[in-house]
Amino acid sequence: MYGYQGYYPYQVNFGYGYQIPNEQFQLIQRQQPLDLSTEGATNSQNLGNGFHRYAWEERTIPGSTYLGVRIFAGSKKVITAGYGVAKYAPIYAMESFPRTANQWYMTIYNPTDADRQLGIYLIAKD
């Protein structure tokens, strides 16, 4: 059979003429999105020229989960957002984008079994 690196994602049932998906992948827990706003930031700093930096620290992402993060900037325009993580081990940003002019959205995946501490950051402009 043909497939990525020798793996064919379906079993062919020749007796009935249809394919059955192989169950290779396990379900991964997905948490409810974490909603953050600039008013509730644990730290904020005026960077000058209308730019501001906001931080939400001491957040947790459990092991083997996806965490959606919605950041609302109020009347400010979002420029970029990111995160820092404790414990040097793999963690992935699956997506990170401005959902609207004043809202940033990202999905972070923790593939390890350990809970991880996150700091989430946003740059916004008046």
Side-chain angles (χ1 to χ4, degrees), residues 84-106:
V85 64
K87 299 182 185 173
Y88 190 71
I91 195 161
Y92 306 102
M94 303 304 294
E95 59 188 350
S96 182
F97 61 94
R99 194 171 198 173
T100 64
N102 63 350
Q103 181 187 359
W104 195 273
Y105 188 86
M106 67 176 107

Side-chain angles (χ1 to χ4, degrees), residues 51-100:
F51 289 92
H52 301 269
R53 178 174 47 208
Y54 299 94
W56 298 265
E57 296 165 339
E58 305 282 329
R59 304 295 171 160
T60 302
I61 180 171
S64 300
T65 59
Y66 290 89
L67 175 64
V69 180
R70 291 185 292 211
I71 306 173
F72 299 94
S75 62
K76 295 177 176 54
K77 307 288 189 279
V78 295
I79 304 298
T80 190
Y83 62 92
V85 64
K87 299 182 185 173
Y88 190 71
I91 195 161
Y92 306 102
M94 303 304 294
E95 59 188 350
S96 182
F97 61 94
R99 194 171 198 173
T100 64

